[in-house]
Amino acid sequence: QSQFIRRASDRPGRWMVLHTKSRQEKAVARQLRAHDVAFFLPVVDRTRMVRGRKMRAQLPLFPGYLFLFGEREDGFTAISTKRVCQVIEVQDQARFVEEIDQIARALTAGAELDLYPFATKGQRCRITRGPFYGLEGIILERKRMARLILQVDMLGQGAALEVDADFLEPV
């Protein structure tokens, strides 16, 4: 996933954020794939109880959003699915790529990420070793295990990652 984000950003086009109708992220992703449009939909494994039975599902990390890479016409393709409410232009492409690349790297490394609302307090830190080396975020708590928030400013949300506090350095 992380390599895809970097490769996509080397081609002509721009990243856009698609705000989808409720629970339509995967359907939009399938339709974009059918039209050969590049996108990134970060998903996490979740176990839920449904009628007394455990069910595993892959759910979007950011409900209601997926990220499209392409031209303006690709945004129109997304809108034409009737499952997208809004196409949001990303002004700072470099920063956005850095942010979603961190999410992709964490997921690829097997991190268990949880949706976390935007963090405004705390210190920005970088992970200095281990499988999440180089990821940066805002510290929410610091005990033996720290909770590091990987932010996506464009959405005003982030993902919470637990990491050994000894692996952190201030940025």
Side-chain angles (χ1 to χ4, degrees):
Q1 294 172 338
S2 180
Q3 294 156 345
F4 162 76
I5 291 168
R6 285 190 228 111
R7 268 198 322 267
S9 297
D10 289 340
R11 299 184 312 187
R14 296 182 52 81
W15 282 100
M16 296 169 243
V17 176
L18 301 182
H19 184 200
T20 68
K21 292 181 179 178
S22 180
R23 299 171 54 161
Q24 296 298 309
E25 305 87 354
K26 288 182 180 180
V28 172
R30 282 191 297 274
Q31 290 181 310
L32 291 175
R33 186 176 289 121
H35 285 89
D36 201 31
V37 175
F39 66 91
F40 174 53
L41 176 61
V43 294
V44 291
D45 289 323
R46 292 287 181 253
T47 303
R48 291 184 164 183
M49 293 297 286
V50 179
R51 287 182 234 126
R53 300 175 75 173
K54 280 187 181 181
M55 303 292 282
R56 289 184 59 82
Q58 285 198 318
L59 301 176
L61 177 61
F62 301 109
Y65 296 96
L66 83 126
F67 311 115
L68 178 147
F69 182 82
E71 302 293 337
R72 176 162 276 162
E73 297 79 35
D74 298 319
F76 295 137
T77 299
I79 289 281
S80 73
T81 66
K82 306 249 189 275
R83 298 172 189 268
V84 174
C85 301
Q86 182 179 17
V87 177
I88 304 166
E89 296 287 330
V90 175
Q91 299 305 314
D92 189 344
Q93 291 282 308
R95 182 174 181 177
F96 183 74
V97 166
E98 187 177 302
E99 290 173 348
I100 63 171
D101 184 57
Q102 288 193 120
I103 300 291
R105 285 180 53 205
L107 288 171
T108 300
E112 291 186 26
L113 298 179
D114 293 315
L115 181 63
Y116 193 83
F118 193 80
T120 57
K121 299 188 231 180
Q123 184 160 10
R124 186 162 188 80
C125 289
R126 178 181 303 117
I127 300 174
T128 59
R129 45 186 203 268
F132 307 118
Y133 172 82
L135 298 185
E136 293 182 15
I138 303 293
I139 291 297
L140 177 63
E141 345 175 346
R142 187 173 178 135
K143 297 178 184 167
R144 191 175 92 57
M145 292 298 282
R147 226 158 144 75
L148 184 73
I149 307 304
L150 306 175
Q151 295 178 188
V152 179
D153 287 335
M154 188 75 194
L155 300 181
Q157 298 181 45
L161 170 67
E162 286 201 356
V163 62
D164 189 319
D166 294 336
F167 290 10
L168 298 172
E169 69 178 7
V171 176

